[in-house]
């Protein structure tokens, strides 16, 4: 795999840590607006948390579309990541409002990639994460070999349990639609606080 993958770091929660991550040359910063998550930005987020120069991704789980529009406009988000049971109609409506849409799917060995077909025209990217009882941040991987079953047209991000030692395995993935990796719990000292040295080394090795 010779192409350069996008780096998305998700679960930003603290302004100072976000500034450090941004300086590593990442492509996208993810913020979680899902209250049960350990990485929920909170009802009173850190001052300056959203003052990022890099494109920002607002992550939601089955949130009301009008609430999504209000939050993304208020905090100047370019991307929305939908991690629940949202339908293509919701994705399309948000996309028509000028947002770039990432639709996440929870993947295990029985996942049917045909499920993604209904969303093709209404999203910009897919994200394939490990299926767990929670929505993301589990630190667990799915079997990456089953990505070969994906024959859709939309590019996708790989998520789910990626850690500092996974660069060589990621480089072995030879899928034409793999566009980037989503990094989260595998690079944390505690939920929402990213380990800058681990991230820096991983990004340098990957690119």
């Amino acid at each position: 795999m010779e192409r350069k993958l996008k780096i998305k770091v998700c679960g930003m929660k603290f302004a100072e840590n976000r500034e450090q991550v941004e300086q590593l040359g990442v492509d996208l910063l993810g913020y979680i607006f899902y209250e049960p998550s350990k990485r929920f930005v909170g009802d009173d987020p850190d001052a300056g948390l959203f003052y990022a120069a890099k494109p920002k991704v607002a992550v939601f789980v089955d949130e009301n579309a009008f609430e999504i529009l209000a939050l993304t406009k208020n905090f100047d988000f370019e991307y929305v990541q939908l991690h629940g049971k949202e339908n293509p109609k919701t994705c399309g409506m948000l996309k028509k409002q000028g947002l770039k849409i990432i639709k996440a799917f929870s993947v295990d060995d029985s996942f049917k990639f045909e499920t993604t077909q209904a969303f093709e025209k209404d999203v910009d990217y897919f994200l394939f994460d490990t299926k767990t009882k929670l929505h993301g941040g589990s630190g667990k991987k799915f079997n990456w070999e089953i990505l070969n079953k994906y024959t859709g047209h939309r590019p996708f991000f790989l998520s789910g349990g990626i850690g500092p030692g996974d660069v060589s395995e990621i480089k072995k993935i030879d899928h034409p639609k793999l566009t980037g990796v989503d990094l989260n719990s595998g690079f944390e000292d505690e939920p929402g606080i990213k380990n800058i040295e681990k991230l820096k080394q991983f990004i340098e090795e990957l690119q």
Side-chain angles (χ1 to χ4, degrees):
M1 186 181 64
E2 300 298 326
R3 66 191 182 284
K4 183 179 178 183
L5 294 175
K6 295 180 189 294
I7 306 288
K8 174 178 176 280
V9 178
C10 201
M12 304 313 307
K13 193 170 178 178
F14 303 99
E16 184 179 355
N17 191 233
R18 187 270 303 158
E19 289 175 14
Q20 294 172 323
V21 170
E22 197 169 12
Q23 290 169 6
L24 298 178
V26 302
D27 299 283
L28 297 164
L29 296 166
Y31 299 79
I32 296 174
F33 290 87
Y34 177 60
E35 202 164 332
S37 171
K38 295 176 183 176
R39 297 160 190 85
F40 173 51
V41 295
D43 295 317
D44 185 22
D46 243 18
L49 178 61
F50 303 115
Y51 296 164
K54 295 288 183 180
K56 303 191 298 290
V57 183
V59 181
F60 298 97
V61 179
D62 298 323
E63 183 58 82
N64 177 284
F66 296 102
E67 182 72 13
I68 291 173
L69 286 173
L71 278 166
T72 52
K73 186 174 182 180
N74 196 25
F75 295 117
D76 196 28
F77 279 87
E78 296 178 37
Y79 289 77
V80 166
Q81 180 175 313
L82 302 174
H83 230 287
K85 294 176 179 158
E86 302 87 2
N87 59 34
K89 185 177 178 181
T90 298
C91 296
M93 188 271 276
L94 294 169
K95 188 171 169 62
K96 285 175 182 172
Q97 298 299 313
L99 292 162
K100 293 178 181 175
I101 309 300
I102 302 171
K103 180 68 183 87
F105 291 91
S106 299
V107 177
D108 60 10
D109 287 343
S110 64
F111 180 72
K112 299 287 187 284
F113 283 91
E114 295 80 10
T115 309
T116 65
Q117 291 175 2
F119 292 84
E120 283 270 345
K121 71 181 192 317
D122 296 306
V123 307
D124 297 277
Y125 300 96
F126 293 129
L127 181 144
F128 297 130
D129 196 2
T130 308
K131 185 174 183 177
T132 61
K133 290 181 180 179
L134 301 174
H135 295 276
S138 69
K140 297 178 180 178
K141 293 182 181 67
F142 62 91
N143 175 13
W144 292 347
E145 288 185 10
I146 68 173
L147 291 170
N148 292 321
K149 295 181 180 178
Y150 174 62
T151 58
H153 300 293
R154 287 285 168 225
F156 68 86
F157 284 86
L158 176 63
S159 185
I162 297 173
D166 289 327
V167 172
S168 60
E169 289 303 308
I170 291 169
K171 286 185 173 182
K172 290 177 186 175
I173 300 173
D174 188 27
H175 197 295
K177 295 301 180 183
L178 175 61
T179 194
V181 292
D182 182 63
L183 311 179
N184 195 343
S185 58
F187 295 87
E188 288 184 330
D189 293 327
E190 59 184 80
I193 297 182
K194 312 304 177 188
N195 183 300
I196 302 305
E197 281 308 310
K198 286 181 181 177
L199 275 173
K200 182 181 179 184
Q201 184 173 347
F202 178 92
I203 291 169
E204 287 175 353
E205 287 179 23
L206 188 66
Q207 298 183 340

